[in-house]
Amino acid sequence: MRRRLPTWASIPGSFKTRILLLNTFLVAAATSVVGVISFVGLIVPHILRLLKSSDNRWLIIGSALLGAILLNIADMLARVIVAPSEFPIGVITAFAGAPVFLFLLIRAGRQQQKGGFYA
């Protein structure tokens, strides 16, 4: 007889909270070590999911390409905005990514009010 793996709905809420907190701390630690530019690695897949689909075959390649394009544009803007000196590139990537994350949070909140993501 095969053993069935638990689904996310069958995992207790306290354990889910621990997983969420651990994930948050790991992402914060990685961002603090690598820098704010790693924020691009977090935001680009979400942008692509909003634009296209969640097909991982397309998403992995698209994330690499869009991440490189986004960082090049941010770098060019950082050099042009205050021409004799440079503007921090992390500020530009934060301005690009923060609205997307806010949109995702608002949308997730609305979906949970309607009865969950799969209701």
Side-chain angles (χ1 to χ4, degrees):
M1 190 167 159
R2 284 172 75 182
R3 246 177 75 178
R4 300 184 89 189
L5 295 175
T7 61
W8 183 251
S10 67
I11 297 174
S14 62
F15 188 66
K16 288 180 188 179
T17 304
R18 286 189 214 140
I19 290 173
L20 180 65
L21 288 174
L22 177 66
N23 188 28
T24 303
F25 287 126
L26 289 174
V27 169
T31 303
S32 68
V33 170
V34 177
V36 183
I37 295 175
S38 65
F39 185 67
V40 173
L42 295 173
I43 197 64
V44 168
H46 292 292
I47 293 171
L48 288 176
R49 281 189 188 103
L50 289 173
L51 295 176
K52 182 83 173 155
S53 70
S54 293
D55 184 13
N56 284 334
R57 294 171 296 174
W58 183 84
L59 192 63
I60 293 171
I61 296 169
S63 294
L65 291 174
L66 186 62
I69 291 169
L70 185 63
L71 273 179
N72 278 326
I73 291 171
D75 185 48
M76 285 189 290
L77 284 174
R79 293 173 190 252
V80 171
I81 288 176
V82 286
S85 62
E86 285 190 25
F87 196 70
I89 191 170
V91 173
I92 296 173
T93 58
F95 275 120
V100 175
F101 268 140
L102 286 175
F103 171 75
L104 290 172
L105 285 172
I106 291 169
R107 189 176 77 173
R110 287 182 184 159
Q111 286 177 345
Q112 283 186 339
Q113 288 175 353
K114 293 178 183 176
F117 291 105
Y118 303 108

